[in-house]
Amino acid sequence: MWSQNWREAVWSQLDREFDLIVIGGGITGAGILREAARAGLRAVLFEQGDFASGTSSRSSKLVHGGLRYLKNAQIKLTWESVHEREHLLKEGRGLVTPLPFVMANFRGDNTPGWVFGLGLTMYDFMALKWNHASYDTAGLRELVPQLSSPEMVSGFRYFDAQTDDARLVLRVLQEATKDEALALNYARVEGLLKTRNRVSGVAIRDLAANGRTMEVRARAVVSATGAWADEIRSQASARALSQGVGWRARLRLLRGSHIFLPQSKLPLARAVTFLHPADSRPVYILPWEGVTLVGTTDVDHKTIPATDVRISQAESDYLMEAVKHAFPALGLTQADVQSTLAGVRAVVNTGKSDPSKESREFVLWNESGLLTVSGGKLTTFRLMAQKALRALRLALPEHPHLGSNERVLDPLPPENSLCDVPPEFRLRLMGRYGAEACNLVEAAQPGELQAMAPSPSLWAELRWAARNEGVVHLDDLLARRVRLNINLPGGGMVEMEKIRKIVQPELGWNDHRWEQETERYRQMWKDYYSPF
Ligand SMILES: Cc1cc2nc3c(=O)[nH]c(=O)nc-3n(C[C@H](O)[C@H](O)[C@H](O)COP(=O)(O)OP(=O)(O)OC[C@H]3O[C@@H](n4cnc5c(N)ncnc54)[C@H](O)[C@@H]3O)c2cc1C
C-alpha cells in the first residue's frame, strides 16, 4: 500500500482540488475516508503523527455494544454498537474475533445480579441472538478456574468481540486507498484556509522529512481529531474568537488507562468483567494477543495531550486492586505488570461530577464550514462516517446515500485461494492483511513464519510492515503495525538485534539512523508504556 517513495507520490498529488479533506488518522478519520472513497469522492486524509497513534491504538480493544452504556440508559448507543459489532464480526474475520465473557457478581456489589441479567437480555435481543446464561459460583469457577474470591456469589456468561485497534485503522485506511483515496501520516494541519469566511482547505506541514509545507483545497473539510478537536475548532472560528463571541471549548478530556500482565501470570481463556470494589465502575480483564489486559480507568485529563499519555501510579494501583479482588489466590502485585497503556477520549462536557456519567455518543458540529466529528467508539466508526458524510450533503450534494446495510470492510479472498499461508496463521493474517497475506508469506525469509512469542505476531509481519506499511519511525512499526510495546516484556528491547536484521535493510536506514530510532523507541517505552 505505502511502498517505496509513497510519500513523494502522495505529496505530488496534493495540488489538485479535492472533494474532501479529513484531518486525523484515527478510526474516525479512517472510517470517513473509507466511506468517502466508496462513494466515489476524491478524498485525502492528513495525520499529524502515525496512523492510529492517538486514542485509536489505546482503546480496550473491544468491539462491543457496551453494557455499561445500558446502565446509563444510553440505549441508542448500545443498539447501534451491537449492530455494528455484528457487521464487524461477519466481515472482519481474523481481525475482529468473538470474545466469551464472564460477568462476576460479588457480595457487596451496589447493583444486584438480576439487573445485569436484564441488561444482558436486552443486549442479546438487540443482536437477535440468545447468547447468555446465569451461573452460580461453582459454574463460574468451571468457566474461569482462577476466579478464587470467596466473595463471588453468582454471574453470567455472554459474548462480545475484540480486535487489534491499530490494525483495524490500518485495514480501513488500506481499503480506502485501494479505492483511490490518499492518506499521509506525519502531515500536521497547521492552519485552516478560508474562502469568504468558510473553511475551504488546510495548510499542512510534512513532519516526516524536511518540514515542507503545502496548501490543499477541498469542497469540504472534516476534523476527526478526537481529543484535539477543540484546537482545530478554535481555528475555524478565529474571527468569532477574536471578537470574544460564538466560540467555546466544548470537549472534556478523559484518560483511560490499562495495565498488562503476562498470560503466564494470569492465563484467561475468557474475559472477566465485574464492578470495581472501590467505586463500582465496571472493569474488564481479558486475554489479548499473548497478554492479559486490565482496564480501564476514567479520570479527567487536564491538558491537550501530546499523542503519548502515561498512566498514573494511582490508576495502576486502582487496576491492580481490581485484579486482587477477583483473583486473590494468584497473589499478583505491581511487580507482575509487564506494560501499560493510556489514552484520552473526548466527550461533550456537561460538567457532570462523575466523568463516567458523561455520554459516549459522538457529536457533529458544523462551524464556519468545518465539520467536527468527535466522541463515539471504535466500534461505531462506520456509522459515524456515514452520518458525517450525510452532514456534508450541502457541500457535496452529488455523493450517493450509503445505507447501514452496506459492507463495513471489503470481502476477503476465499481462504483456499491463498497460496501457502500456513493454516494456523491463515485467518489471522487474512484479517490483518487481506489479499496481501499471500505476498507477506512469500516475502518471509527462513524462520520468519514463526510467532514472536509470547506475541502471536510473526517475524514476517515486521518485514512486510517495514516494506509496505508507511513506517516512518521505529515506534510506528513496533507499537502499531505489530504491538511489541505491549506484548513483549520490556517492549521487546531484548529482541532488538533480531528485529534490526529484518527491518533495517527494508527501511533503508544507515546505522546512525538505526541508533537514533532505537533510542527514541526505548525512551518512549520507558516514558509511556512501562510499568511503575
Ligand atoms: C481508554 C479507552 C478505552 C476505550 N476502549 C474502547 C473499546 O474497547 N471499544 C470501543 O469501541 N471504543 C473504545 N474507546 C473509544 C475509542 O477508542 C475512541 O472513540 C476512538 O479511538 C476515537 O478515535 P478518533 O479517530 O476519533 O480519535 P483518535 O484516534 O485520537 O484520532 C485523532 C487523530 O487526529 C490527529 N490530529 C490531531 N490534530 C491534528 C492536526 N492538527 N493535524 C493532523 N492530525 C491531527 C491525532 O494525532 C490523532 O491521531 C476507548 C477509549 C479510551 C480512551
Side-chain angles (χ1 to χ4, degrees), residues 23-29 46-50 53-56 58-64 187-189 224-228 232 254 256-258 296 307 343-345 375-379:
I23 314 172
I27 192 65
T28 309
F46 300 114
E47 162 57 48
Q48 67 180 353
D50 185 27
S53 57
T55 310
S56 298
R58 299 155 192 284
S59 77
S60 304
K61 329 294 179 205
L62 293 172
V63 171
H64 64 155
R188 180 161 62 217
V189 168
T225 47
W228 295 263
I232 302 278
L254 302 178
S257 300
H258 310 89
T296 169
T307 38
V344 173
R345 74 169 90 231
K377 298 169 61 186
L378 193 79
T379 309

mmCIF file of all heavy atoms in Angstrom, residues 23-29 46-50 53-56 58-64 187-189 224-228 232 254 256-258 296 307 343-345 375-379, ligand 1:
data_model
loop_
_atom_site.group_PDB
_atom_site.id
_atom_site.type_symbol
_atom_site.label_atom_id
_atom_site.label_comp_id
_atom_site.label_asym_id
_atom_site.label_seq_id
_atom_site.Cartn_x
_atom_site.Cartn_y
_atom_site.Cartn_z
ATOM 1 N N ILE A 23 -9.080 15.563 8.490
ATOM 2 C CA ILE A 23 -7.959 15.815 9.406
ATOM 3 C C ILE A 23 -8.043 14.777 10.524
ATOM 4 O O ILE A 23 -9.057 14.700 11.221
ATOM 5 C CB ILE A 23 -8.031 17.231 10.024
ATOM 6 C CG1 ILE A 23 -8.345 18.287 8.965
ATOM 7 C CG2 ILE A 23 -6.741 17.558 10.762
ATOM 8 C CD1 ILE A 23 -8.617 19.675 9.547
ATOM 9 N N GLY A 24 -6.980 13.987 10.692
ATOM 10 C CA GLY A 24 -6.958 12.996 11.774
ATOM 11 C C GLY A 24 -6.996 11.577 11.235
ATOM 12 O O GLY A 24 -7.937 11.196 10.534
ATOM 13 N N GLY A 25 -5.975 10.798 11.579
ATOM 14 C CA GLY A 25 -5.872 9.428 11.065
ATOM 15 C C GLY A 25 -6.092 8.386 12.132
ATOM 16 O O GLY A 25 -5.382 7.388 12.212
ATOM 17 N N GLY A 26 -7.103 8.605 13.002
ATOM 18 C CA GLY A 26 -7.561 7.547 13.907
ATOM 19 C C GLY A 26 -8.710 6.818 13.216
ATOM 20 O O GLY A 26 -8.929 6.972 12.009
ATOM 21 N N ILE A 27 -9.453 6.035 14.003
ATOM 22 C CA ILE A 27 -10.511 5.234 13.384
ATOM 23 C C ILE A 27 -11.616 6.118 12.799
ATOM 24 O O ILE A 27 -12.191 5.783 11.754
ATOM 25 C CB ILE A 27 -11.095 4.204 14.395
ATOM 26 C CG1 ILE A 27 -11.971 3.175 13.698
ATOM 27 C CG2 ILE A 27 -11.877 4.884 15.510
ATOM 28 C CD1 ILE A 27 -11.281 2.279 12.736
ATOM 29 N N THR A 28 -11.888 7.275 13.421
ATOM 30 C CA THR A 28 -12.957 8.124 12.898
ATOM 31 C C THR A 28 -12.577 8.676 11.529
ATOM 32 O O THR A 28 -13.359 8.596 10.569
ATOM 33 C CB THR A 28 -13.250 9.284 13.879
ATOM 34 O OG1 THR A 28 -13.452 8.724 15.182
ATOM 35 C CG2 THR A 28 -14.475 10.066 13.475
ATOM 36 N N GLY A 29 -11.365 9.221 11.428
ATOM 37 C CA GLY A 29 -10.917 9.763 10.143
ATOM 38 C C GLY A 29 -10.806 8.664 9.094
ATOM 39 O O GLY A 29 -11.215 8.845 7.936
ATOM 40 N N PHE A 46 -5.040 13.663 6.389
ATOM 41 C CA PHE A 46 -3.760 14.071 6.971
ATOM 42 C C PHE A 46 -3.726 13.720 8.456
ATOM 43 O O PHE A 46 -4.664 14.049 9.186
ATOM 44 C CB PHE A 46 -3.542 15.576 6.799
ATOM 45 C CG PHE A 46 -3.518 16.007 5.359
ATOM 46 C CD1 PHE A 46 -4.501 16.831 4.844
ATOM 47 C CD2 PHE A 46 -2.512 15.553 4.508
ATOM 48 C CE1 PHE A 46 -4.494 17.210 3.510
ATOM 49 C CE2 PHE A 46 -2.489 15.925 3.169
ATOM 50 C CZ PHE A 46 -3.485 16.758 2.673
ATOM 51 N N GLU A 47 -2.645 13.079 8.865
ATOM 52 C CA GLU A 47 -2.477 12.694 10.272
ATOM 53 C C GLU A 47 -1.155 13.288 10.771
ATOM 54 O O GLU A 47 -0.115 13.107 10.138
ATOM 55 C CB GLU A 47 -2.483 11.164 10.393
ATOM 56 C CG GLU A 47 -1.897 10.616 11.694
ATOM 57 C CD GLU A 47 -2.568 11.147 12.964
ATOM 58 O OE1 GLU A 47 -3.800 11.136 13.035
ATOM 59 O OE2 GLU A 47 -1.826 11.585 13.879
ATOM 60 N N GLN A 48 -1.211 13.962 11.921
ATOM 61 C CA GLN A 48 -0.002 14.656 12.394
ATOM 62 C C GLN A 48 1.088 13.719 12.905
ATOM 63 O O GLN A 48 2.265 14.044 12.876
ATOM 64 C CB GLN A 48 -0.363 15.646 13.493
ATOM 65 C CG GLN A 48 -0.861 15.009 14.774
ATOM 66 C CD GLN A 48 -1.229 16.004 15.865
ATOM 67 O OE1 GLN A 48 -0.989 17.189 15.720
ATOM 68 N NE2 GLN A 48 -1.812 15.517 16.950
ATOM 69 N N GLY A 49 0.684 12.565 13.422
ATOM 70 C CA GLY A 49 1.673 11.581 13.869
ATOM 71 C C GLY A 49 1.564 10.362 12.969
ATOM 72 O O GLY A 49 1.358 10.475 11.765
ATOM 73 N N ASP A 50 1.687 9.196 13.592
ATOM 74 C CA ASP A 50 1.473 7.984 12.804
ATOM 75 C C ASP A 50 -0.023 7.687 12.760
ATOM 76 O O ASP A 50 -0.780 8.109 13.652
ATOM 77 C CB ASP A 50 2.219 6.820 13.462
ATOM 78 C CG ASP A 50 2.137 5.539 12.629
ATOM 79 O OD1 ASP A 50 1.988 5.631 11.388
ATOM 80 O OD2 ASP A 50 2.212 4.453 13.232
ATOM 81 N N SER A 53 -2.024 6.734 15.986
ATOM 82 C CA SER A 53 -1.173 6.999 17.150
ATOM 83 C C SER A 53 -1.919 7.720 18.274
ATOM 84 O O SER A 53 -1.429 7.810 19.390
ATOM 85 C CB SER A 53 0.049 7.833 16.737
ATOM 86 O OG SER A 53 -0.373 9.040 16.126
ATOM 87 N N GLY A 54 -3.113 8.233 17.988
ATOM 88 C CA GLY A 54 -3.924 8.874 19.033
ATOM 89 C C GLY A 54 -4.669 7.814 19.839
ATOM 90 O O GLY A 54 -4.131 6.726 20.126
ATOM 91 N N THR A 55 -5.902 8.098 20.162
ATOM 92 C CA THR A 55 -6.674 7.204 21.033
ATOM 93 C C THR A 55 -6.915 5.843 20.372
ATOM 94 O O THR A 55 -7.098 4.837 21.058
ATOM 95 C CB THR A 55 -8.014 7.884 21.366
ATOM 96 O OG1 THR A 55 -7.728 9.215 21.806
ATOM 97 C CG2 THR A 55 -8.756 7.160 22.466
ATOM 98 N N SER A 56 -6.911 5.807 19.051
ATOM 99 C CA SER A 56 -7.314 4.578 18.357
ATOM 100 C C SER A 56 -6.333 3.421 18.464
ATOM 101 O O SER A 56 -6.608 2.335 17.959
ATOM 102 C CB SER A 56 -7.611 4.884 16.888
ATOM 103 O OG SER A 56 -8.683 5.786 16.810
ATOM 104 N N ARG A 58 -5.164 2.959 21.632
ATOM 105 C CA ARG A 58 -5.084 2.943 23.098
ATOM 106 C C ARG A 58 -6.394 2.531 23.740
ATOM 107 O O ARG A 58 -6.649 2.813 24.900
ATOM 108 C CB ARG A 58 -4.683 4.331 23.598
ATOM 109 C CG ARG A 58 -3.342 4.758 23.072
ATOM 110 C CD ARG A 58 -3.187 6.259 23.035
ATOM 111 N NE ARG A 58 -2.009 6.606 22.256
ATOM 112 C CZ ARG A 58 -0.764 6.484 22.699
ATOM 113 N NH1 ARG A 58 -0.552 6.090 23.925
ATOM 114 N NH2 ARG A 58 0.248 6.780 21.922
ATOM 115 N N SER A 59 -7.278 1.911 22.957
ATOM 116 C CA SER A 59 -8.584 1.519 23.476
ATOM 117 C C SER A 59 -8.445 0.205 24.246
ATOM 118 O O SER A 59 -7.352 -0.374 24.319
ATOM 119 C CB SER A 59 -9.571 1.339 22.328
ATOM 120 O OG SER A 59 -9.339 0.108 21.684
ATOM 121 N N SER A 60 -9.581 -0.279 24.762
ATOM 122 C CA SER A 60 -9.567 -1.581 25.444
ATOM 123 C C SER A 60 -9.713 -2.725 24.453
ATOM 124 O O SER A 60 -9.887 -3.876 24.853
ATOM 125 C CB SER A 60 -10.684 -1.649 26.487
ATOM 126 O OG SER A 60 -10.561 -0.588 27.391
ATOM 127 N N LYS A 61 -9.675 -2.409 23.161
ATOM 128 C CA LYS A 61 -9.670 -3.394 22.060
ATOM 129 C C LYS A 61 -10.992 -4.145 21.943
ATOM 130 O O LYS A 61 -11.046 -5.217 21.332
ATOM 131 C CB LYS A 61 -8.530 -4.442 22.193
ATOM 132 C CG LYS A 61 -7.251 -3.985 22.857
ATOM 133 C CD LYS A 61 -6.528 -2.944 22.070
ATOM 134 C CE LYS A 61 -5.267 -2.498 22.771
ATOM 135 N NZ LYS A 61 -4.841 -1.167 22.400
ATOM 136 N N LEU A 62 -12.045 -3.618 22.535
ATOM 137 C CA LEU A 62 -13.335 -4.310 22.451
ATOM 138 C C LEU A 62 -14.155 -3.777 21.286
ATOM 139 O O LEU A 62 -14.200 -2.561 21.058
ATOM 140 C CB LEU A 62 -14.121 -4.120 23.747
ATOM 141 C CG LEU A 62 -13.515 -4.796 24.976
ATOM 142 C CD1 LEU A 62 -14.255 -4.383 26.242
ATOM 143 C CD2 LEU A 62 -13.556 -6.312 24.809
ATOM 144 N N VAL A 63 -14.773 -4.687 20.580
ATOM 145 C CA VAL A 63 -15.795 -4.313 19.611
ATOM 146 C C VAL A 63 -17.076 -4.763 20.284
ATOM 147 O O VAL A 63 -17.378 -5.946 20.337
ATOM 148 C CB VAL A 63 -15.544 -5.024 18.266
ATOM 149 C CG1 VAL A 63 -16.700 -4.818 17.312
ATOM 150 C CG2 VAL A 63 -14.250 -4.494 17.653
ATOM 151 N N HIS A 64 -17.767 -3.810 20.871
ATOM 152 C CA HIS A 64 -18.805 -4.219 21.819
ATOM 153 C C HIS A 64 -19.992 -3.267 21.816
ATOM 154 O O HIS A 64 -19.883 -2.114 21.389
ATOM 155 C CB HIS A 64 -18.216 -4.330 23.227
ATOM 156 C CG HIS A 64 -17.720 -3.034 23.799
ATOM 157 N ND1 HIS A 64 -17.636 -2.811 25.151
ATOM 158 C CD2 HIS A 64 -17.287 -1.894 23.205
ATOM 159 C CE1 HIS A 64 -17.160 -1.590 25.349
ATOM 160 N NE2 HIS A 64 -16.947 -1.017 24.194
ATOM 161 N N ALA A 187 1.804 14.411 8.750
ATOM 162 C CA ALA A 187 1.451 15.615 7.984
ATOM 163 C C ALA A 187 0.468 16.404 8.851
ATOM 164 O O ALA A 187 -0.714 16.065 8.921
ATOM 165 C CB ALA A 187 0.807 15.224 6.659
ATOM 166 N N ARG A 188 0.999 17.402 9.546
ATOM 167 C CA ARG A 188 0.151 18.128 10.500
ATOM 168 C C ARG A 188 -0.594 19.276 9.821
ATOM 169 O O ARG A 188 -0.005 20.035 9.057
ATOM 170 C CB ARG A 188 0.991 18.685 11.637
ATOM 171 C CG ARG A 188 0.090 19.445 12.632
ATOM 172 C CD ARG A 188 0.667 19.645 13.972
ATOM 173 N NE ARG A 188 1.870 20.445 13.959
ATOM 174 C CZ ARG A 188 2.910 20.226 14.740
ATOM 175 N NH1 ARG A 188 2.897 19.229 15.578
ATOM 176 N NH2 ARG A 188 3.961 20.990 14.686
ATOM 177 N N VAL A 189 -1.864 19.371 10.139
ATOM 178 C CA VAL A 189 -2.629 20.529 9.681
ATOM 179 C C VAL A 189 -2.291 21.672 10.630
ATOM 180 O O VAL A 189 -2.575 21.613 11.826
ATOM 181 C CB VAL A 189 -4.139 20.209 9.679
ATOM 182 C CG1 VAL A 189 -4.950 21.478 9.486
ATOM 183 C CG2 VAL A 189 -4.443 19.196 8.587
ATOM 184 N N ALA A 224 -11.545 15.089 12.279
ATOM 185 C CA ALA A 224 -11.781 13.871 13.069
ATOM 186 C C ALA A 224 -10.606 13.753 14.024
ATOM 187 O O ALA A 224 -9.894 12.753 14.041
ATOM 188 C CB ALA A 224 -11.871 12.671 12.138
ATOM 189 N N THR A 225 -10.391 14.810 14.792
ATOM 190 C CA THR A 225 -9.159 14.919 15.570
ATOM 191 C C THR A 225 -9.351 14.565 17.046
ATOM 192 O O THR A 225 -8.489 14.864 17.876
ATOM 193 C CB THR A 225 -8.579 16.349 15.443
ATOM 194 O OG1 THR A 225 -9.634 17.292 15.652
ATOM 195 C CG2 THR A 225 -7.988 16.589 14.079
ATOM 196 N N GLY A 226 -10.465 13.923 17.368
ATOM 197 C CA GLY A 226 -10.652 13.375 18.707
ATOM 198 C C GLY A 226 -10.368 14.379 19.809
ATOM 199 O O GLY A 226 -10.972 15.447 19.874
ATOM 200 N N ALA A 227 -9.415 14.040 20.650
ATOM 201 C CA ALA A 227 -9.100 14.877 21.809
ATOM 202 C C ALA A 227 -8.520 16.234 21.416
ATOM 203 O O ALA A 227 -8.413 17.128 22.245
ATOM 204 C CB ALA A 227 -8.118 14.131 22.706
ATOM 205 N N TRP A 228 -8.138 16.385 20.158
ATOM 206 C CA TRP A 228 -7.551 17.642 19.688
ATOM 207 C C TRP A 228 -8.587 18.530 18.980
ATOM 208 O O TRP A 228 -8.253 19.574 18.429
ATOM 209 C CB TRP A 228 -6.410 17.366 18.715
ATOM 210 C CG TRP A 228 -5.242 16.664 19.339
ATOM 211 C CD1 TRP A 228 -4.104 17.246 19.812
ATOM 212 C CD2 TRP A 228 -5.092 15.260 19.565
ATOM 213 N NE1 TRP A 228 -3.263 16.287 20.315
ATOM 214 C CE2 TRP A 228 -3.840 15.066 20.185
ATOM 215 C CE3 TRP A 228 -5.892 14.138 19.327
ATOM 216 C CZ2 TRP A 228 -3.384 13.799 20.556
ATOM 217 C CZ3 TRP A 228 -5.437 12.889 19.697
ATOM 218 C CH2 TRP A 228 -4.200 12.736 20.297
ATOM 219 N N ILE A 232 -8.604 22.582 16.678
ATOM 220 C CA ILE A 232 -8.903 22.864 15.265
ATOM 221 C C ILE A 232 -10.166 23.730 15.175
ATOM 222 O O ILE A 232 -10.239 24.651 14.362
ATOM 223 C CB ILE A 232 -9.100 21.537 14.493
ATOM 224 C CG1 ILE A 232 -7.855 20.666 14.595
ATOM 225 C CG2 ILE A 232 -9.485 21.789 13.042
ATOM 226 C CD1 ILE A 232 -6.748 20.990 13.638
ATOM 227 N N LEU A 254 -11.005 12.791 28.938
ATOM 228 C CA LEU A 254 -10.961 11.783 29.994
ATOM 229 C C LEU A 254 -9.900 10.749 29.664
ATOM 230 O O LEU A 254 -9.871 10.222 28.543
ATOM 231 C CB LEU A 254 -12.313 11.077 30.111
ATOM 232 C CG LEU A 254 -13.526 11.973 30.387
ATOM 233 C CD1 LEU A 254 -14.801 11.137 30.431
ATOM 234 C CD2 LEU A 254 -13.346 12.716 31.709
ATOM 235 N N GLY A 256 -8.186 7.144 30.052
ATOM 236 C CA GLY A 256 -8.461 5.762 30.439
ATOM 237 C C GLY A 256 -7.164 4.989 30.329
ATOM 238 O O GLY A 256 -6.454 5.101 29.333
ATOM 239 N N SER A 257 -6.841 4.210 31.353
ATOM 240 C CA SER A 257 -5.546 3.513 31.346
ATOM 241 C C SER A 257 -5.729 2.014 31.523
ATOM 242 O O SER A 257 -6.755 1.552 32.038
ATOM 243 C CB SER A 257 -4.655 4.056 32.457
ATOM 244 O OG SER A 257 -4.436 5.430 32.252
ATOM 245 N N HIS A 258 -4.715 1.287 31.084
ATOM 246 C CA HIS A 258 -4.713 -0.174 31.200
ATOM 247 C C HIS A 258 -3.376 -0.627 31.764
ATOM 248 O O HIS A 258 -2.363 0.034 31.542
ATOM 249 C CB HIS A 258 -4.855 -0.834 29.827
ATOM 250 C CG HIS A 258 -5.988 -0.308 29.001
ATOM 251 N ND1 HIS A 258 -5.862 0.762 28.146
ATOM 252 C CD2 HIS A 258 -7.268 -0.705 28.910
ATOM 253 C CE1 HIS A 258 -7.015 0.998 27.556
ATOM 254 N NE2 HIS A 258 -7.899 0.131 28.002
ATOM 255 N N THR A 296 -10.656 -0.408 32.694
ATOM 256 C CA THR A 296 -9.883 0.786 32.473
ATOM 257 C C THR A 296 -10.277 1.813 33.513
ATOM 258 O O THR A 296 -11.269 1.629 34.219
ATOM 259 C CB THR A 296 -10.107 1.340 31.044
ATOM 260 O OG1 THR A 296 -9.559 2.642 30.902
ATOM 261 C CG2 THR A 296 -11.560 1.416 30.720
ATOM 262 N N THR A 307 0.640 13.015 21.602
ATOM 263 C CA THR A 307 -0.045 11.739 21.319
ATOM 264 C C THR A 307 0.141 10.735 22.446
ATOM 265 O O THR A 307 -0.765 10.003 22.771
ATOM 266 C CB THR A 307 0.418 11.114 19.984
ATOM 267 O OG1 THR A 307 1.792 11.346 19.859
ATOM 268 C CG2 THR A 307 -0.351 11.639 18.812
ATOM 269 N N GLY A 343 -4.910 6.233 27.178
ATOM 270 C CA GLY A 343 -5.432 7.012 26.055
ATOM 271 C C GLY A 343 -6.408 8.050 26.569
ATOM 272 O O GLY A 343 -6.878 7.965 27.701
ATOM 273 N N VAL A 344 -6.694 9.024 25.710
ATOM 274 C CA VAL A 344 -7.591 10.101 26.136
ATOM 275 C C VAL A 344 -8.775 10.151 25.186
ATOM 276 O O VAL A 344 -8.603 10.180 23.968
ATOM 277 C CB VAL A 344 -6.850 11.454 26.110
ATOM 278 C CG1 VAL A 344 -7.807 12.598 26.394
ATOM 279 C CG2 VAL A 344 -5.742 11.449 27.148
ATOM 280 N N ARG A 345 -9.963 10.111 25.750
ATOM 281 C CA ARG A 345 -11.152 10.235 24.907
ATOM 282 C C ARG A 345 -11.761 11.613 25.088
ATOM 283 O O ARG A 345 -11.634 12.226 26.162
ATOM 284 C CB ARG A 345 -12.158 9.138 25.211
ATOM 285 C CG ARG A 345 -12.909 9.315 26.494
ATOM 286 C CD ARG A 345 -14.069 8.338 26.594
ATOM 287 N NE ARG A 345 -13.709 7.075 27.220
ATOM 288 C CZ ARG A 345 -13.975 5.893 26.704
ATOM 289 N NH1 ARG A 345 -14.593 5.791 25.560
ATOM 290 N NH2 ARG A 345 -13.621 4.790 27.341
ATOM 291 N N GLY A 375 -15.874 12.115 19.716
ATOM 292 C CA GLY A 375 -16.545 11.205 20.646
ATOM 293 C C GLY A 375 -16.810 9.873 19.968
ATOM 294 O O GLY A 375 -16.175 9.521 18.986
ATOM 295 N N GLY A 376 -17.777 9.139 20.500
ATOM 296 C CA GLY A 376 -18.129 7.851 19.908
ATOM 297 C C GLY A 376 -17.177 6.747 20.313
ATOM 298 O O GLY A 376 -16.471 6.842 21.321
ATOM 299 N N LYS A 377 -17.153 5.703 19.510
ATOM 300 C CA LYS A 377 -16.400 4.498 19.858
ATOM 301 C C LYS A 377 -15.706 3.937 18.639
ATOM 302 O O LYS A 377 -16.121 4.201 17.511
ATOM 303 C CB LYS A 377 -17.371 3.418 20.373
ATOM 304 C CG LYS A 377 -18.118 3.790 21.610
ATOM 305 C CD LYS A 377 -19.221 2.821 21.893
ATOM 306 C CE LYS A 377 -18.670 1.418 22.114
ATOM 307 N NZ LYS A 377 -19.769 0.443 22.251
ATOM 308 N N LEU A 378 -14.714 3.146 18.907
ATOM 309 C CA LEU A 378 -14.065 2.397 17.834
ATOM 310 C C LEU A 378 -15.118 1.562 17.090
ATOM 311 O O LEU A 378 -15.170 1.533 15.856
ATOM 312 C CB LEU A 378 -13.055 1.462 18.502
ATOM 313 C CG LEU A 378 -12.021 0.759 17.688
ATOM 314 C CD1 LEU A 378 -10.898 1.720 17.361
ATOM 315 C CD2 LEU A 378 -11.460 -0.427 18.453
ATOM 316 N N THR A 379 -15.968 0.931 17.867
ATOM 317 C CA THR A 379 -16.954 0.002 17.312
ATOM 318 C C THR A 379 -17.873 0.656 16.285
ATOM 319 O O THR A 379 -18.296 0.013 15.327
ATOM 320 C CB THR A 379 -17.817 -0.556 18.478
ATOM 321 O OG1 THR A 379 -16.937 -1.049 19.488
ATOM 322 C CG2 THR A 379 -18.765 -1.639 18.025
HETATM 323 C C1 LIG B 1 -9.125 4.096 27.493
HETATM 324 C C2 LIG B 1 -10.088 3.975 26.355
HETATM 325 C C3 LIG B 1 -10.635 2.738 26.058
HETATM 326 C C4 LIG B 1 -11.523 2.617 25.002
HETATM 327 N N1 LIG B 1 -11.992 1.378 24.700
HETATM 328 C C5 LIG B 1 -12.829 1.227 23.670
HETATM 329 C C6 LIG B 1 -13.250 -0.072 23.314
HETATM 330 O O1 LIG B 1 -12.839 -1.069 23.907
HETATM 331 N N2 LIG B 1 -14.102 -0.182 22.276
HETATM 332 C C7 LIG B 1 -14.552 0.900 21.581
HETATM 333 O O2 LIG B 1 -15.361 0.706 20.674
HETATM 334 N N3 LIG B 1 -14.133 2.142 21.880
HETATM 335 C C8 LIG B 1 -13.271 2.331 22.894
HETATM 336 N N4 LIG B 1 -12.807 3.569 23.211
HETATM 337 C C9 LIG B 1 -13.182 4.698 22.381
HETATM 338 C C10 LIG B 1 -12.326 4.745 21.119
HETATM 339 O O3 LIG B 1 -11.015 4.356 21.391
HETATM 340 C C11 LIG B 1 -12.337 6.168 20.565
HETATM 341 O O4 LIG B 1 -13.655 6.597 20.412
HETATM 342 C C12 LIG B 1 -11.675 6.232 19.203
HETATM 343 O O5 LIG B 1 -10.422 5.593 19.185
HETATM 344 C C13 LIG B 1 -11.513 7.700 18.811
HETATM 345 O O6 LIG B 1 -10.991 7.716 17.518
HETATM 346 P P1 LIG B 1 -10.731 9.092 16.799
HETATM 347 O O7 LIG B 1 -10.269 8.770 15.438
HETATM 348 O O8 LIG B 1 -11.925 9.967 16.920
HETATM 349 O O9 LIG B 1 -9.592 9.785 17.653
HETATM 350 P P2 LIG B 1 -8.022 9.478 17.609
HETATM 351 O O10 LIG B 1 -7.739 8.051 17.440
HETATM 352 O O11 LIG B 1 -7.418 10.160 18.764
HETATM 353 O O12 LIG B 1 -7.580 10.176 16.271
HETATM 354 C C14 LIG B 1 -7.488 11.586 16.146
HETATM 355 C C15 LIG B 1 -6.221 11.861 15.379
HETATM 356 O O13 LIG B 1 -6.182 13.222 14.980
HETATM 357 C C16 LIG B 1 -4.825 13.565 14.880
HETATM 358 N N5 LIG B 1 -4.689 15.022 14.852
HETATM 359 C C17 LIG B 1 -4.963 15.891 15.841
HETATM 360 N N6 LIG B 1 -4.694 17.161 15.449
HETATM 361 C C18 LIG B 1 -4.227 17.072 14.172
HETATM 362 C C19 LIG B 1 -3.754 18.038 13.227
HETATM 363 N N7 LIG B 1 -3.685 19.322 13.530
HETATM 364 N N8 LIG B 1 -3.348 17.600 12.013
HETATM 365 C C20 LIG B 1 -3.397 16.281 11.687
HETATM 366 N N9 LIG B 1 -3.824 15.327 12.564
HETATM 367 C C21 LIG B 1 -4.229 15.725 13.784
HETATM 368 C C22 LIG B 1 -4.218 12.940 16.139
HETATM 369 O O14 LIG B 1 -2.828 12.785 16.033
HETATM 370 C C23 LIG B 1 -4.969 11.623 16.224
HETATM 371 O O15 LIG B 1 -4.236 10.543 15.672
HETATM 372 C C24 LIG B 1 -11.905 3.748 24.260
HETATM 373 C C25 LIG B 1 -11.370 4.993 24.564
HETATM 374 C C26 LIG B 1 -10.455 5.112 25.597
HETATM 375 C C27 LIG B 1 -9.862 6.444 25.913
#
